[in-house]
Structures are given as structure tokens and as C-alpha cells.
Amino acid sequence: AEQQRRGHEASFKFTHFVRVEDDVYLFPDRLAASLRTTTGEAEVRGQFATWAEVPFPRGFCVVLSARVARGLSDLAVDFPAEENPPPSELSHAKGVWVRSTFWPEDAFLGLLLHPWKNLNLVNDERFHDLPGRGPNAKRVSLESIAVNAVQTPGEFHGIHTFRTGGLGVQRTWSRTNDTHVTVPVQVDARAQLDLALDVTDHPSCIRDAQ
């Protein structure tokens, strides 16, 4: 069975493994373009934070090079996990206790990666939260690769509309200043979201908004 598994892995060639949560808008073309410029064989890319002084990629979008992904799949964890509920302040978090420390699942990935020598950790600022919804909150722009904490279909539609150049909704855009436009997005029958977008490098959007 082990030989069969390894044979299957050998036949399935890939350069990177990407994990994305369901409240993230991913720009796959931008991600692919950024990965074509990478040179390190052992690389982890994402938006990094720390837990118990260990750096980890926040779980909303994590990119592992093939070498790291295969290394993790072969990893034998040799320390016992403790069967305790998470701390009260993290009551809804998924994770595991290790040596009296609770590790949320994305931080636990950092713990597994921590002993890895010559591992390139890329803290990519283009992986970010929507404004007001996380520690790395930014406006959506042409630099964005993974946008976290997108909560409604209307927000997904608004970002997708911006990504495709505003086809079908240019007339609803309003100009804020020389670098931003606002796209009103209908969230449901009772609410509308004004999505502010950075168009510094997208002059056609400014022309459409005038």
C-alpha cells in the first residue's frame, strides 16, 4: 500500500499546494504569476502571524511548495496531543493542545514547520483582510491576491466585478478621488454595501467613474 501511495504521488506532478478557506476571494491568475518568480524549493507563502513565538501562515490562504507539501504528508508527529477543550477565549477555535499550549490549526501548521531548516517563509502583503475585518486590513486593489473575510455573495460579486473591469456596472460607480471609486453592491433586499476599491493603477476605472 505504501509503494502504491508513493507511486501515485510520483505520477501526480505539481509545483505548489494551495489551501483556501471559503470566505476568501482568490485571484488565481495573480497568484500563478507571483509563483512563477519564486526560486526556493522549500517555501511557504501567506500572511504570517505568531503564536507562542512561532511564526505561522494565517489559515485563510496558504501556499506550500511541492517539497513542503510532500514533506508534511510524510511527517510522523512524535508528541502526544492532549484531549482538552480550547481555552474559553478560543472556544470556537479548532486546534490541539501540545505540552500545555493550545495551538489553533493554522498555528499548529507553523509548529510543524518550525524545525524545518532553510525554509523560506514569505509574508505576502497581497494576502489581506477586507477593511475592518482583520489585522491586515486593506482595500482591494490590483495588487490583491487573496482577500479574506468576504462575508456575503454581494461582496464576492463586488470584488469579482472589480476584477473583470466593472463590466455591466460601470454606470453605478462613483468617483471618490483620484485613487478610489465606490461600487454600491446589493447585499440583500434590505441592505446595500458600498465597496471602496483602490484603483491607483487602474486608470480605466477612473474614466468609467467620471
Side-chain angles (χ1 to χ4, degrees), residues 131 138-141 162 173-183 195-202 205-207 209-210:
K138 294 182 179 181
R139 294 180 185 273
V140 179
S141 75
F162 174 69
W173 291 14
S174 62
R175 178 173 177 172
T176 304
N177 52 44
D178 289 337
T179 60
H180 294 88
V181 296
T182 299
V183 182
L195 193 62
L197 303 175
D198 186 340
V199 292
T200 306
D201 301 317
H202 202 339
C205 293
I206 293 293
R207 290 197 302 270
Q210 290 175 334

Side-chain angles (χ1 to χ4, degrees), residues 103-173:
W103 295 83
E105 58 180 355
D106 48 359
F108 184 63
L109 173 59
L111 180 63
L112 296 179
L113 294 170
H114 193 55
W116 198 305
K117 295 182 179 179
N118 301 318
L119 179 61
N120 187 24
L121 303 180
V122 181
N123 184 44
D124 198 326
E125 294 294 328
R126 296 170 296 180
F127 293 48
H128 64 86
D129 308 288
L130 275 180
R133 295 185 184 166
N136 188 41
K138 294 182 179 181
R139 294 180 185 273
V140 179
S141 75
L142 290 184
E143 297 298 317
S144 301
I145 289 179
V147 182
N148 185 41
V150 185
Q151 297 177 351
T152 69
E155 291 177 352
F156 274 104
H157 176 73
I159 298 173
H160 183 71
T161 297
F162 174 69
R163 176 181 182 270
T164 56
L167 296 177
V169 299
Q170 290 96 327
R171 295 180 182 177
T172 68
W173 291 14

Side-chain angles (χ1 to χ4, degrees), residues 185-192:
V185 176
Q186 194 71 32
V187 177
D188 55 34
R190 297 169 297 175
Q192 178 173 289

